[in-house]
Each structure stands twice: as structure tokens, then as C-alpha cells.
Amino acid sequence: MTGSYNNFFRMFDRSSRRDVTLEASRESSKPRAVLKPRKVCTGGKRKKDEISVDSLDFNKKILHTAWHPLENIIAVAATNNLYIFQDKVN
């Protein structure tokens, strides 16, 4: 897992070689909220769900990340907020 600007953080699964970009925000911090993958567009045309590189807020940034070695729980510190996310509990 690595942090980035615009409160984005990226997680990598080494076994499946997949990655996903997510956003730590107040909208996603509600209990039971599902994190939606985010895509950043570097070209001229962007799709509906993509965010343009030109609109990224470089004042918002992930300052620290941590994860549990055995459980699917992560902690993300962004600006002056701490977000704790965990995998869906059945």
C-alpha cells in the first residue's frame, strides 16, 4: 500500500498482481460504506468515473499508511484525519 495526493492511496496484491486506487474521504468514512475504485486520467479525454490529473488537489495527501499483517484492516492518515478500513464483515 502506498499513499498519494488528493487523498488517494493505492493497494497492490502481490499474488494476483492486481492493484486498486482508492480515496480516503469523509464520504467513504461512514459506517459500512463501500470504497469505490478511482481512476486518474492522464490523457485529454476522460471517462465518466475518471478524474483528470489537472484537477488533483496536491494539498490533500496521505501522510501515513499501515496495515495488519494477517487481517484485512488498514489505517490511513490524511491531512488531520485517521481512516480505518476493513474488509466486509459477513
Side-chain angles (χ1 to χ4, degrees), residues 4-77:
S4 186
Y5 294 103
N6 207 63
N7 283 357
F8 287 170
F9 61 97
R10 196 162 191 176
M11 296 190 325
F12 300 89
D13 184 347
R14 294 185 338 182
S15 60
S16 69
R17 296 186 167 264
R18 291 189 192 167
D19 63 279
V20 64
T21 302
L22 302 164
E23 181 180 11
S25 67
R26 292 193 181 257
E27 290 78 36
S28 63
S29 66
K30 294 181 174 74
R32 310 259 187 258
V34 177
L35 293 177
K36 293 180 278 186
R38 305 300 300 246
K39 291 205 184 259
V40 177
C41 172
T42 56
K45 275 196 143 189
R46 67 180 182 91
K47 296 178 183 167
K48 180 178 71 168
D49 294 338
E50 292 181 337
I51 295 172
S52 171
V53 169
D54 298 328
S55 67
L56 293 178
D57 186 353
F58 293 104
N59 292 316
K60 294 181 182 177
K61 53 190 158 242
I62 301 297
L63 301 172
H64 187 75
T65 61
W67 58 90
H68 192 281
L70 302 174
E71 303 292 328
N72 287 332
I73 300 172
I74 62 170
V76 178

